[in-house]
Amino acid sequence: MDRIARGRLHRFVALGSTEHFSYDRNYYKMTVVIILVKTPLWLKISGMRVSKEKAAENRDRILKAASRLMRERGISGVGVDALTEAAGMTHGSLYSQFGSKERLIEEAVADAIAAKGQELREVSTLGDYVSEYLSATHRDEPGSGCPFAALCCEISRQSQGARERFTAGVRGMAGWLSDRMGSGIKQRQRDEEALATLASLVGALVLARAVSDSKLSDDILRSTRKRLER
């Protein structure tokens, strides 16, 4: 096929024509049939676009699934397949929303911390919070529990963005605890007491989940709760 013929063929393909292009040269005859595609490709793609509301809903669904699975199985124990399956989405939806798994981890860490922060408003006293935190129910349901205890052992090996979000959450939690310490002591003392309390809560829960002896696990929670309630 010579250059002129090829040029005509390319033109017909580009226009999506239904005409037949016949080429005769020497003893060869070639007929190329161009199939008409009535709807331009760009219209098909644009028609598949979801609304902003639906996109936001999909994003939230992925975040909620990721934050739950990460707390249940650990960050390294959750792959893209598990995330998309739990959210009822596709790989394409996940990457179109977040661009990478690393970015999703960062967002999911922040989402888990924010969700638990909302729950703090429902807690009336520090004693109530300690009792709830160091309970068997909280220990046995990591997927909906404290992200600090669930993720602290892995977060140091994650991206800087994930660590920064985790760090901001720790600071926020320490501030919440500090505000509920005795008003008769100085701010610096309240802040120090808050950090010690947070470390005790998280450490006790991590240890209680790690041991294989159920009685020892219960004892860890009970003894730490008793100490903090003094």
Side-chain angles (χ1 to χ4, degrees):
M1 188 181 293
D2 57 29
R3 276 189 310 175
I4 295 175
R6 284 199 300 270
R8 292 173 61 196
L9 173 59
H10 292 163
R11 180 167 59 83
F12 274 96
V13 172
L15 294 176
S17 173
T18 54
E19 299 180 38
H20 289 62
F21 171 69
S22 296
Y23 174 71
D24 247 327
R25 185 177 183 182
N26 298 328
Y27 299 102
Y28 300 97
K29 183 176 181 180
M30 179 183 296
T31 301
V32 182
V33 179
I34 310 302
I35 300 175
L36 173 65
V37 180
K38 293 184 178 180
T39 306
L41 181 59
W42 69 269
L43 281 178
K44 287 188 173 184
I45 294 175
S46 63
M48 294 172 62
R49 291 176 182 169
V50 297
S51 66
K52 290 182 178 180
E53 293 77 12
K54 185 62 176 178
E57 180 184 322
N58 291 344
R59 181 182 180 83
D60 185 66
R61 188 188 307 171
I62 295 172
L63 277 177
K64 293 294 183 290
S67 64
R68 176 178 58 81
L69 287 178
M70 282 165 45
R71 282 177 283 178
E72 285 180 355
R73 306 179 189 179
I75 297 174
S76 61
V78 180
V80 173
D81 288 342
L83 290 172
T84 53
E85 182 180 353
M89 309 294 289
T90 63
H91 286 207
S93 298
L94 188 150
Y95 286 111
S96 68
Q97 290 283 356
F98 300 96
S100 66
K101 184 185 177 184
E102 181 180 275
R103 179 65 177 175
L104 172 58
I105 290 172
E106 294 176 7
E107 297 282 349
V109 168
D111 183 78
I113 291 172
K116 297 308 291 185
Q118 291 291 332
E119 294 179 11
L120 290 177
R121 299 177 182 179
E122 303 174 7
V123 179
S124 56
T125 67
L126 179 57
D128 291 337
Y129 180 72
V130 170
S131 296
E132 181 181 341
Y133 193 99
L134 296 174
S135 66
T137 299
H138 189 196
R139 176 197 61 198
D140 299 338
E141 297 179 357
S144 59
C146 173
F148 305 131
L151 306 177
C152 68
C153 295
E154 290 184 275
I155 205 70
S156 63
R157 295 185 292 276
Q158 300 306 310
S159 69
Q160 184 66 21
R163 294 187 68 189
E164 287 175 354
R165 284 165 167 76
F166 190 89
T167 300
V170 170
R171 285 200 177 102
M173 187 66 222
W176 185 87
L177 290 169
S178 179
D179 291 341
R180 283 151 184 79
M181 296 295 168
S183 57
I185 59 177
K186 295 180 180 180
Q187 183 65 52
R188 182 179 179 81
Q189 291 176 303
R190 289 203 301 271
D191 291 345
E192 290 180 350
E193 187 66 24
L195 286 173
T197 298
L198 179 56
S200 297
L201 289 169
V202 172
L205 189 60
V206 170
L207 200 58
R209 286 173 175 168
V211 298
S212 60
D213 186 328
S214 59
K215 181 181 183 304
L216 177 58
S217 179
D218 289 339
D219 289 344
I220 291 170
L221 296 177
R222 178 185 52 76
S223 60
T224 307
R225 186 170 60 245
K226 184 176 179 181
R227 175 64 63 90
L228 292 176
E229 288 173 349
R230 289 180 180 177

